[in-house]
């Protein structure tokens, strides 16, 4: 079974991490985990492009998406050395059925899979509806395993530079064109008594860029949708206001969970949002915001549930989405910030040597 296989693979990952650290210590050159490594060596560490550790799924043969990608110079899109704005936008706009389901790959999630808050008077009516199109397009996802979490994505990855996308002005100094969301999942069995905040960790950084529609709306914030206005407020206030920063929500939705072998106690949480309060860290960079979600700070049952899912990841398709919590009518409807559809993720294939 996947569960038995995964238990054995965890030992393989640990062995790879140990070997990597030993090699770095022996060479005393560019191993990123060398404790005594100085700043100059860190600066010269060879960085990789986002999306290098797990492939983006390919388009269906002869689909409209494949034709579009071929016309902009790269049949496989971002992962086939085509980092153009045209390829990125084509992937983002493509319907789910035009993307192949390939084991251990990813693609942008369909925002309408996530039911989000709508007014009026949500507090009383508790109504939700499928999200409109996401405010950000997915550029890349990565999947790493190490003896410590990836604290800053730029330590190992080159931050993308895409003419016409990452160099555009949003018209608002507090809203950069990119959002990097880095999620840390515990690599060890969670303890009910202690929160291991700096041990073996799966780091899953995702890079998002503002969509064309969002950029257009930002030209006149007064007439922008409630979702874009709320995004603007979050970007402006989250850095200095913990309560506003804590309105960031993440959601995980497993497709066809009823027919899966996943433990029944997890079914009730499928698609339910989780507020990222004390576990979220907001860092502003020159042209992107980096938001880190440290699952190790979550309640024990949440950590336990996520960790118990790891052996089953290969068996299902998992959609993860992010939004900002709307509390008042003028902030609704909520809309997805961005999302990723992860297909049959194999924990054994988490990148170690990066």
């Amino acid at each position: 079974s996947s569960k038995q296989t995964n238990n054995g693979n965890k030992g393989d990952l640990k062995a790879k991490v140990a070997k990597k650290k030993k090699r770095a210590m022996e060479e005393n050159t560019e191993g990123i985990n060398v404790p005594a490594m100085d700043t100059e060596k860190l600066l010269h560490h060879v960085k990789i492009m986002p999306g290098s550790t797990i492939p983006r799924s390919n388009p269906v043969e002869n689909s409209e998406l494949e034709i579009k990608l071929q016309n902009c110079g790269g049949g496989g899109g971002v992962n086939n050395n085509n980092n153009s704005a045209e390829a990125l936008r084509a992937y983002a706009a493509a319907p789910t059925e035009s993307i192949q389901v390939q084991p251990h790959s990813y693609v942008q999630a369909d925002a309408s899979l996530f039911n989000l808050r709508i007014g009026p008077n949500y507090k009383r009516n508790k109504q939700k509806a499928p999200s409109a199109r996401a405010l950000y397009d997915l550029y890349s996802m990565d999947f790493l395993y190490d003896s410590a979490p990836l604290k800053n994505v730029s330590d190992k990855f080159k931050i993308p530079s895409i003419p016409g996308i990452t160099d555009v002005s949003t018209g608002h100094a507090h809203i950069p064109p990119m959002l990097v969301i880095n999620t840390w999942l515990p690599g060890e069995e969670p303890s009910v008594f202690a929160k291991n905040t700096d041990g073996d960790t799966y780091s899953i950084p995702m890079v998002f860029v503002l969509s064309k529609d969002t950029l257009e709306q930002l030209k006149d914030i007064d007439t922008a949708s409630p979702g874009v206005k709320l995004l603007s407020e979050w970007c402006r206030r989250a850095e200095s206001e913990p309560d506003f920063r804590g309105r960031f929500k993440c959601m995980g939705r497993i497709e066809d969970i009823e027919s899966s072998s996943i433990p029944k106690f997890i079914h009730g949480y499928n698609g339910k949002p989780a507020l990222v309060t004390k576990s979220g860290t907001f860092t502003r960079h020159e042209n992107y915001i980096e938001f880190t979600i440290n699952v190790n700070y979550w309640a024990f049952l949440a950590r336990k549930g996520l960790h118990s899912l790891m052996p089953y990841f290969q068996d299902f398709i998992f959609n993860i989405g992010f939004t900002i919590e709307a509390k008042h009518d003028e902030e609704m409807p909520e809309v997805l910030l961005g999302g990723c559809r992860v297909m049959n993720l194999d924990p054994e294939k988490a990148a170690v040597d990066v």
Side-chain angles (χ1 to χ4, degrees), residues 89 133 135 137 165 209-217:
R89 298 305 192 197
R133 194 158 182 267
L135 302 183
D137 292 338
I165 291 186
V209 298
L210 285 171
S211 73
K212 288 174 71 174
D213 180 65
T214 304
L215 286 168
E216 192 63 32
Q217 289 193 57

Side-chain angles (χ1 to χ4, degrees), residues 77-94:
V78 172
N79 280 93
N80 275 6
N81 301 318
N82 184 358
N83 296 327
S84 70
E86 294 83 1
L88 178 60
R89 298 305 192 197
Y91 252 113

Side-chain angles (χ1 to χ4, degrees), residues 4 112 170 296:
Q4 291 173 324
S112 67
T170 64
N296 288 297

Side-chain angles (χ1 to χ4, degrees), residues 91-166:
Y91 252 113
T96 301
E97 56 268 21
S98 66
I99 309 286
Q100 294 183 38
V101 175
Q102 296 175 312
H104 197 70
S105 68
Y106 74 93
V107 75
Q108 178 154 319
D110 177 357
S112 67
L113 288 175
F114 296 92
N115 288 318
L116 303 180
R117 294 180 175 189
I118 61 171
N121 201 342
Y122 175 79
K123 193 173 284 189
R124 186 187 68 200
N125 297 327
K126 302 291 184 186
Q127 286 192 308
K128 293 187 174 184
S131 172
R133 194 158 182 267
L135 302 183
Y136 287 84
D137 292 338
L138 177 66
Y139 174 84
S140 65
M141 168 190 158
D142 282 279
F143 185 49
L144 305 91
Y145 181 91
D146 212 331
S147 55
L150 176 61
K151 298 287 176 68
N152 299 292
V153 171
S154 62
D155 286 348
K156 292 194 177 183
F157 294 94
K158 296 177 182 176
I159 300 303
S161 177
I162 314 165
I165 291 186
T166 60

Side-chain angles (χ1 to χ4, degrees), residues 221-235:
I221 197 69
D222 292 334
T223 61
S225 66
V228 170
K229 288 179 179 177
L230 186 56
L231 168 65
S232 175
E233 280 295 283
W234 187 81
C235 290

Side-chain angles (χ1 to χ4, degrees), residues 23-332:
R23 184 170 67 245
M25 291 291 284
E26 289 173 348
E27 293 175 354
N28 196 27
T29 54
E30 292 180 345
I32 197 160
N33 287 323
V34 177
M37 186 177 64
D38 57 32
T39 307
E40 185 180 359
K41 287 175 181 173
L42 178 61
L43 289 172
H44 286 89
H45 176 74
V46 177
K47 297 180 181 181
I48 61 175
M49 287 301 298
S52 299
T53 64
I54 180 172
R56 183 186 293 264
S57 185
N58 290 320
V60 170
E61 287 187 22
N62 301 318
S63 65
E64 186 178 340
L65 173 61
E66 185 181 59
I67 294 166
K68 280 184 180 178
L69 292 171
Q70 288 170 346
N71 289 339
C72 56
V78 172
N79 280 93
N80 275 6
N81 301 318
N82 184 358
N83 296 327
S84 70
E86 294 83 1
L88 178 60
R89 298 305 192 197
Y91 252 113
T96 301
E97 56 268 21
S98 66
I99 309 286
Q100 294 183 38
V101 175
Q102 296 175 312
H104 197 70
S105 68
Y106 74 93
V107 75
Q108 178 154 319
D110 177 357
S112 67
L113 288 175
F114 296 92
N115 288 318
L116 303 180
R117 294 180 175 189
I118 61 171
N121 201 342
Y122 175 79
K123 193 173 284 189
R124 186 187 68 200
N125 297 327
K126 302 291 184 186
Q127 286 192 308
K128 293 187 174 184
S131 172
R133 194 158 182 267
L135 302 183
Y136 287 84
D137 292 338
L138 177 66
Y139 174 84
S140 65
M141 168 190 158
D142 282 279
F143 185 49
L144 305 91
Y145 181 91
D146 212 331
S147 55
L150 176 61
K151 298 287 176 68
N152 299 292
V153 171
S154 62
D155 286 348
K156 292 194 177 183
F157 294 94
K158 296 177 182 176
I159 300 303
S161 177
I162 314 165
I165 291 186
T166 60
D167 57 356
V168 298
S169 170
T170 64
H172 305 270
H174 59 283
I175 310 175
M178 281 187 290
L179 174 65
V180 177
I181 300 175
N182 185 14
T183 305
W184 301 345
L185 298 181
E188 299 284 1
E189 181 79 25
S191 167
V192 68
F193 301 108
K195 295 179 179 180
N196 181 17
T197 57
D198 207 27
D200 286 10
T201 305
Y202 292 97
S203 296
I204 309 175
M206 300 178 188
V207 177
F208 295 93
V209 298
L210 285 171
S211 73
K212 288 174 71 174
D213 180 65
T214 304
L215 286 168
E216 192 63 32
Q217 289 193 57
L218 285 171
K219 291 178 180 178
D220 185 358
I221 197 69
D222 292 334
T223 61
S225 66
V228 170
K229 288 179 179 177
L230 186 56
L231 168 65
S232 175
E233 280 295 283
W234 187 81
C235 290
R236 185 172 67 85
R237 299 169 60 182
E239 189 172 14
S240 58
E241 299 180 34
D243 287 346
F244 212 90
R245 180 168 66 244
R247 289 171 69 170
F248 191 97
K249 294 195 292 191
C250 64
M251 300 151 286
R253 186 176 180 279
I254 297 167
E255 296 182 18
D256 301 317
I257 192 170
E258 294 79 12
S259 59
S260 72
S261 57
I262 293 165
K264 293 293 181 187
F265 82 92
I266 291 176
H267 289 212
Y269 296 97
N270 198 35
K272 295 289 178 64
L275 278 171
V276 181
T277 53
K278 293 180 180 178
S279 61
T281 304
F282 181 108
T283 308
R284 189 181 297 281
H285 299 272
E286 185 181 355
N287 68 336
Y288 67 100
I289 286 170
E290 184 167 1
F291 192 75
T292 302
I293 303 171
N294 186 354
V295 172
N296 288 297
Y297 280 113
W298 289 11
F300 171 71
L301 285 178
R303 287 180 285 134
K304 177 74 174 175
L306 259 177
H307 187 79
S308 65
L309 270 181
M310 293 299 292
Y312 300 95
F313 272 128
Q314 293 179 71
D315 301 331
F316 58 71
I317 296 174
F318 183 72
N319 292 274
I320 184 167
F322 309 97
T323 191
I324 307 298
E325 182 183 53
K327 293 184 175 182
H328 312 290
D329 279 356
E330 62 269 22
E331 296 175 338
M332 297 187 196

